[in-house]
Amino acid sequence: MTEPVLLVLDDDPLPRLDRLAGRARVVHADEKSLVEKLPTADVLLVWDFLSDAVRHAWPGGGRRPRWVHTPSAGVDRLLPELAASPETLVTNARGVFDQPIAEYVAGLVLAMAKDFRGSWELQRQRLWKHRETKRVGGSRAVVVGSGPIGRTIGRTLKALGVTVDLVGRTERADDPDFGRVHGNSALGSLLVGADWVVCVAPLTEGTRGLFDAGAFAQMKPGAHFINVGRGQHVVEDDLVEALRAGRIAGAALDVFAEEPLAADSGLWDVPGLLISPHMSGDTIGWRDDLAEQFLDNFDRWEAGEPLLNVVDKDLGYVPST
Amino acid sequence: MTEPVLLVLDDDPLPRLDRLAGRARVVHADEKSLVEKLPTADVLLVWDFLSDAVRHAWPGGGRRPRWVHTPSAGVDRLLPELAASPETLVTNARGVFDQPIAEYVAGLVLAMAKDFRGSWELQRQRLWKHRETKRVGGSRAVVVGSGPIGRTIGRTLKALGVTVDLVGRTERADDPDFGRVHGNSALGSLLVGADWVVCVAPLTEGTRGLFDAGAFAQMKPGAHFINVGRGQHVVEDDLVEALRAGRIAGAALDVFAEEPLAADSGLWDVPGLLISPHMSGDTIGWRDDLAEQFLDNFDRWEAGEPLLNVVDKDLGYVPST
């Protein structure tokens, strides 16, 4: 029996590979060699999930792998090119990032309410300066993105006493956790009353540039905006303008239109803007968790069972059941 | 009918005073004039609750007020002197600070787990540097202090998936929220397994200096310590030594042995130490909430009803019912 070829686009080494001993021939590719190696692969693991190389290599000639797995929640770096191959299944890392990102967002909400950055900046200056801070309990949040990460963020904020409105592509009147899920068309009116606006939507043509001058203009002067989705959800110049003009009180970005953020970017020192380097979901051991999740799905693939977390390539995410 | 005299030791003006119009004669005192005015007062409101003036003025001759209210949770600035006057009731601000301080502590836990200070320091340097962070869910916390603030902290951390052990003066086997409350004697063994150690005990002779070199030596190298109780709970030199030697991973202090912390204090730049200026409970509107709480109790006093939140001056706090 011939072993299937698992092509791995990697930067860091893939842990737990011993589970595949005798079951797959593992071939490594970098961004340059991917084009040439792609036709040899049965399965492609996009271990370097921040790369755009797969999308660029995909339209070439020859056989394409029947299964592509990306160990990320977003699949925007594979689309729309892979949608042109209906015989190729795409799976993602649904679930792994839910709790870490929810904790990260809850931490940002509390840190902004309590002005931790202000305190630590005063500490640097050896200044004792008491301030009054905001209560989080009793405030309102709008979470844009109703997949598992958005839902976990919503539940975590609810546990802190925040009233949460969830916005998704598909409106639902009978949501077990949130009462309802609002459709995108309700976003404008929800932004008006929100203390916290959290973006964790999949990046699709419907959500690209969703947070622009018009959206920021609808928010309250006391509102804070948090993006843990994709940089392209935000018109960064509009956000900078809204912060500089005091139209909103603050923002935290973990993702950017171009990553890594260049040292000479104007974003680094915008007042009221907190920056972190695309790490909200990446807790100690995450690489192991991601490898395990892929290998569990490999077991299913090998056994001819249906794969878990299959992306709808037209929607751009794994639809909720 | 003679109006009772309400003596107010104030720094900031007391809000909501109109509620007392025609019901009390309000006399203001500062730290200097307190000694002289104290014998004229029926009720003393220690609006400037960070002052030690009441304790110092109390043992003087003449009549003492029959009721002293401090708009703080801790009453350590009134004791032991007021305990010598059994006919004087002391009440405190039990309840007002519970949720704000619980939010503050949850925010610190998340901020330390996710290394927000590290990210914002890198931001200042315009450096993009991805790091893996800690999960809060599944970690363990020990909360020292089983009054309403400690309980609210414990419930908030539990909502984030943290396993919480509560330590108090009185051991209980049947606590509705936490299963049990541990006695102080269990502290040593609980510290060994804790990721987060939170101090929010009342300051009494039993808790003064509780967190010393011995306590820090029992904690894990990955443990973080948070003090929102009183500065005197901590032997500050021992904490500095534990941080510098890497015996614990980090700490956050909102309270200090001497406040305000002097500009030349060695604490400001200890690695891994987060400093804030005694503000964990002080959310916007807190002064109004504190005034309302006092005035509600004044209604009861005037009507001859039992006061709420009466401190046991021997224990040093309001006993739980």
Side-chain angles (χ1 to χ4, degrees), chain A residues 32 52 57 105-106 118 138-139 159 174 181-182 193 230 260-261 273 302 305:
Chain A
K32 260 173 105 164
D52 284 311
V105 169
S139 66
D174 57 346
V181 175
H182 303 271
R230 285 286 182 263
L261 193 61
L273 180 58
E302 197 178 43
E305 293 168 11

Side-chain angles (χ1 to χ4, degrees), chain A residues 7 18 20 39 83 111 128 138 179 216 244 292 309:
Chain A
L7 183 63
D18 52 317
L20 292 179
W128 180 275
F216 296 123
R244 291 203 184 277
E292 292 285 359
N309 308 328

Side-chain angles (χ1 to χ4, degrees), chain A residues 31 55 95 106 162 255 274 285 292 305:
Chain A
E31 293 192 336
R55 181 164 68 206
V162 179
V255 289
L274 306 175
E292 292 285 359
E305 293 168 11

Side-chain angles (χ1 to χ4, degrees), chain A residues 103 126 130 133 137 263 282 284, chain B residues 103 126 130 133 137 263 282 284:
Chain A
E103 291 180 355
R126 299 174 161 259
H130 179 276
T133 63
D282 307 346
I284 294 161
Chain B
E103 291 180 354
R126 299 174 161 259
H130 180 276
T133 63
D282 307 345
I284 294 161

Side-chain angles (χ1 to χ4, degrees), chain B residues 17 26 32 36 44 47 56 101 107-108 113 119 122 128 142 182 195 206 208 210 221 226 247 289 291-292 298:
Chain B
L17 259 183
V26 178
K32 260 171 105 166
E36 173 198 338
L44 172 64
W47 192 241
H56 295 142
I101 296 181
L108 286 173
S119 289
L122 289 165
W128 179 275
V142 172
H182 302 272
D195 298 290
R208 190 178 296 270
L210 188 62
I226 295 172
R247 272 192 283 281
D289 294 343
E292 292 285 359
F298 191 90

